[in-house]
Amino acid sequence: MMRIPVDKETTIPLYRQIESFIGAQILAGTLAPGMRLPSTRELARSLGVNRITVNNAYAELEAQGYIASLQGSGSYVAEVASSFPHIVNDDLGGQALPGWQQRLAGGGFGAAPADGRIAALKDDPEGFWYAGGTGDGRLFPVEEFRKTLQVVLCRDGRRALDYDDPRGYPPLRETIARIMTSQGIPAHPDHVLVTSGAQQALSLVARLLLRPGDTVLVENPTYAVALELFRSLGANIVGLPLDGEGLRPDALERTLAEARPKLIYTIPNFQNPTGVCLSGPRRRELLELASRRDVPVLEDDYVGDLRYDGRHLPALKTLDVRGGVIYVRTFSKMLMPGLRVGFILAQGPVLAHLENCKRVTDLASSSLIQRTLEAYITVGRYHAHLRRACRTYRRRRDLMLAALAEHMPPDVRWRTPAGGLFVWLELPPEVKTVELSRRAADQGVGLVHSSRFYIDRRDRPFLRLNFAGQAEDRIDEGIARLGRLLADRRDTKE
Ligand SMILES: Cc1ncc(COP(=O)(O)O)c(C=O)c1O
């Protein structure tokens, strides 16, 4: 029997309440076409209302085409296209919002509203998508992962569907420690905390170490959603300039003295968005300065192992002997972002605090996904994946660089990124990337505004192009279109 929450204390007539409840169920599809509704007598008895009330409700529903009654056999749900108009309606029927909701209106912490037209290009087979922040979804090992998922469910049964250790599924933490150690970053499983992607790792660290008004030092420009995170916590964000060797230690030294930060957030490898790597000597200098001022360093190594040229530089974590660095890594870029698996590597009391933070945030990451990842990713397989990803993305980077050399006007400049996902273009000073992205979207080319990467959210003449997510045979044409737009400068100025 339907449980309709009728409220006899309100001024809304009972028949209206019954009618709108049943109508909503039909629209949502929970009452499917052809289903027989309870008789008016049955429903009236179960709700404790007069039978005429139910009759009136059914008559209204029938008049609106939601139900049909067949002589002698009762009422049935009619064919209605299911939708959720009663739920998605966000004007709340013209009611005034409660005060606390009104105070929140217009707030937010700087997330730019998504431009639907640009976002749609991501899945458009005719589109050229350079705005993304990940590798290529077409390389995801879908079938192998499906098989592993099944194997894990058969093997572990309900344990795979239960809560797991808040620090992460222990065998996965062991695999992570082995992968890290195999890459020259010695790690013990007890120092690994599994998180829902690197983003949650950043969030846990920031929540632990920053109070409203505290200063965090970041490279400027930097990863857009880290900026949004720090803003959301009310932090005072101070930027450090970058050059071809990463953040400038002279600026760091000065700013450390002046701003007295509580945290330094850095992306030493293939920085997002500029693609630059922090040089070896500067890594040591950064650690030395941070240690002297007793400031924790949050090292975001989101694509550190996607290196195409030259040798890997030591992670800050490897150079750190005193527990001053909190290291963050993710399986999102090298494997699949939808797994939402990343991790923190840290030592000392901060680790226990972060474990508690993780527990009160979401109890634990998905046991099923962690177990499947663990069954899937041995050290050998990780390296095989890495080799394949590097081969593919290196080829795409080179194609992108060749296309840029061919199609860009002479006043557009860039550096060759030694790894990662992005080329960072320096455009002529008068170009506005907001306007450029709008024009580019008309040509089927998806770009991201530069303002997202800057602390002050001001547009600057730089463009982050993702080369890794683009099929090889489409790189040249997209860049050619972009080149034409930039050559026709009238189109890109505001
Ligand atoms: C620099 C950087 N850090 C962290 C993340 C978050 O990655 P995830 O939460 O998917 O692991 C991203 C994603 O784009 C990123 O670019």
Side-chain angles (χ1 to χ4, degrees), residues 133-134 196-200 202 223 265 267 272 300 302 329-333 337 340-342 422:
T134 58
S196 294
Q199 188 63 35
Q200 187 183 50
L202 303 185
Y223 169 45
Y265 168 65
I267 311 171
N272 183 358
D300 182 350
Y302 77 122
R329 172 89 87 93
T330 176
F331 285 95
S332 285
K333 313 296 167 175
R340 308 308 302 130
V341 179
F422 312 118

Side-chain angles (χ1 to χ4, degrees), residues 107-119:
F109 35 80
D115 181 328
R117 217 163 45 103
I118 296 178

Side-chain angles (χ1 to χ4, degrees), residues 412-435:
V412 174
R413 292 180 303 172
W414 60 91
R415 287 197 184 92
T416 296
L421 310 167
F422 312 118
V423 188
W424 183 241
L425 297 193
E426 183 176 353
L427 308 174
E430 71 276 15
V431 175
K432 305 279 182 260
T433 65
V434 174
E435 180 60 12

Side-chain angles (χ1 to χ4, degrees), residues 472-488:
E472 272 136 58
D473 56 355
R474 299 185 58 74
I475 291 178
D476 188 74
E477 174 58 24
I479 296 297
R481 291 185 190 193
L482 183 59
R484 282 196 292 275
L485 277 176
L486 281 163
D488 184 5

